[in-house]
Amino acid sequence: MYQIIDGKRISQEIKDELKERMEALKARGESRCLAVIQVGSDPASSVYVGNKKKACAYVGVDSLSYELPENTAQEELLSLIGDLNGNSRVSGILVQLPLPHHIDEEKILLAIDPRKDVDGFHPVNVGNLSIGRPGFVSCTPAGVIQLLKRSGIEIAGKECVVLGRSNIVGKPMAMLLLQENGTVTVCHSRTKNLKEIAKRADILVAAVGRPRFVNHDFVKEGAVVIDVGIHRNEDNRLCGDVDFDSVAPLTSAITPVPGGVGPMTIAMLMSNCVLGIQEA
Ligand code: NAP
């Protein structure tokens, strides 16, 4: 029988630990403040931003919210980021993505002070991760590592296969697994023999952005499968990159969607906000 890795429970456990940590920090007169910037009113972004503010309130992190109109000029956004970089009360800055097309996303992310880049997207933090220096780590892959560790799954020495090489999931995921002494293979849309490579994995991480792409042909008996994908299926229900029903019986442990990786992303954002830059 396989283990269902319960991201909801583990993320709650992390938020409760952080809440306690925040109480101790406050007792010493310290505070943390996350500035969240949203440009436009994309409904999905509004839900994400709302959840982030709720998590801040739960953990005890102050939050500042900037809801800017869709037609905000890039210069205006850069100037706000400049102000927040210089504001000593603000310890974390988050710009909700995606941004409207007239704004250059890369320019915006580069403008955030790397010491306040709680999303871990700034090239300085990405570089620090790749050479094992302290820095902010991208929240979703950091959440996957916590799921594995807190479920008692050993990474060291394991064959780890990451499906996907995006800057925010696949690449940092591979770096983190490597740091945990896994033997890591990264696959992408040009990979040949994808199924054969995936089938070598003791730990398979699916981050391809394709609903139920990973079926039983991709999975070795006894593997651990982590599903990063989030999609809405034909019935408007959430599903992942993994075809859960066909894959789960083959695995020793698997994350569900919803309730797996999803809740971990916000928990790790809170961790970055409370703990600041951590040893990689
Ligand atoms: P992305 O930027 O679209 O990247 C997808 C990656 O998968 C790319 O590297 C792409 O390869 C690869 N790929 C696509 N089709 C493939 C195929 N047929 N065979 C092999 N590789 C293929 O997506 P992302 O931002 O990394 O996100 C991945 C998934 O995770 C999405 O479903 C997203 O919604 C979800 N997500 C969830 C959370 C969360 O909090 N749980 C956070 C972020 C993302 P190329 O590089 O060659 O194009």
Side-chain angles (χ1 to χ4, degrees):
M1 191 55 193
Y2 56 89
Q3 172 194 356
I4 293 198
I5 299 174
D6 187 348
K8 225 169 148 182
R9 180 186 62 74
I10 296 172
S11 64
Q12 188 59 45
E13 187 178 290
I14 291 172
K15 283 188 284 185
D16 286 337
E17 289 167 13
L18 293 168
K19 187 176 177 171
E20 227 172 89
R21 184 73 178 259
M22 224 24 255
E23 279 160 13
L25 288 170
K26 281 184 178 166
R28 295 203 320 238
E30 287 188 42
S31 64
R32 300 285 187 272
C33 176
L34 173 67
V36 181
I37 306 173
Q38 182 183 358
V39 185
S41 51
D42 171 55
S45 291
S46 300
V47 172
Y48 290 137
V49 166
N51 288 341
K52 287 167 188 175
K53 288 195 275 190
K54 232 187 274 170
C56 282
Y58 182 80
V59 168
V61 169
D62 300 332
S63 66
L64 294 173
S65 183
Y66 297 86
E67 284 151 32
L68 308 180
E70 181 85 20
N71 62 358
T72 301
Q74 178 166 299
E75 285 313 311
E76 211 177 311
L77 182 54
L78 286 170
S79 151
L80 172 60
I81 292 171
D83 290 347
L84 295 170
N85 282 341
N87 181 341
S88 59
R89 190 186 151 219
V90 172
S91 48
I93 302 171
L94 183 153
V95 178
Q96 185 64 40
L97 302 179
L99 288 167
H101 294 304
H102 67 279
I103 297 179
D104 180 347
E105 214 161 89
E106 198 184 341
K107 216 169 189 170
I108 298 303
L109 296 181
L110 270 171
I112 297 173
D113 183 333
R115 292 165 301 179
K116 299 189 178 189
D117 168 41
V118 283
D119 257 338
F121 294 164
H122 193 287
V124 166
N125 284 315
V126 175
N128 282 335
L129 172 63
S130 73
I131 57 171
R133 275 171 51 89
F136 283 117
V137 176
S138 181
C139 301
T140 302
V144 171
I145 297 293
Q146 284 301 314
L147 282 179
L148 292 169
K149 286 188 170 173
R150 289 172 185 249
S151 303
I153 295 162
E154 175 88 29
I155 303 170
K158 297 283 175 65
E159 285 274 355
C160 304
V161 176
V162 180
L163 306 181
R165 58 171 166 183
S166 72
N167 289 341
I168 61 168
V169 186
K171 282 180 194 156
M173 188 73 255
M175 285 298 169
L176 288 170
L177 289 165
L178 192 59
Q179 225 158 61
E180 296 293 333
N181 299 310
T183 301
V184 183
T185 306
V186 183
C187 300
H188 45 80
S189 64
R190 308 285 288 274
T191 299
K192 290 183 180 141
N193 306 323
L194 189 67
K195 289 182 184 172
E196 286 76 6
I197 296 169
K199 223 166 176 153
R200 293 205 308 247
D202 300 313
I203 299 174
L204 179 65
V205 180
V208 278
R210 293 177 185 266
R212 286 173 297 196
F213 178 81
V214 174
N215 61 32
H216 61 280
D217 290 340
F218 287 69
V219 179
K220 174 171 81 176
E221 184 118 29
V224 172
V225 174
I226 305 290
D227 188 353
V228 180
I230 310 180
H231 315 275
R232 293 239 167 235
N233 70 10
E234 315 79 43
D235 314 323
N236 203 32
R237 290 176 49 181
L238 288 176
C239 72
D241 285 353
V242 176
D243 181 14
F244 186 92
D245 292 340
S246 86
V247 167
L250 277 174
T251 67
S252 57
I254 184 166
T255 58
V257 178
V261 174
M264 294 301 292
T265 301
I266 288 196
M268 298 318 292
L269 173 68
M270 290 303 108
S271 174
N272 281 347
C273 288
V274 174
L275 304 178
I277 285 177
Q278 292 287 290
E279 288 296 321

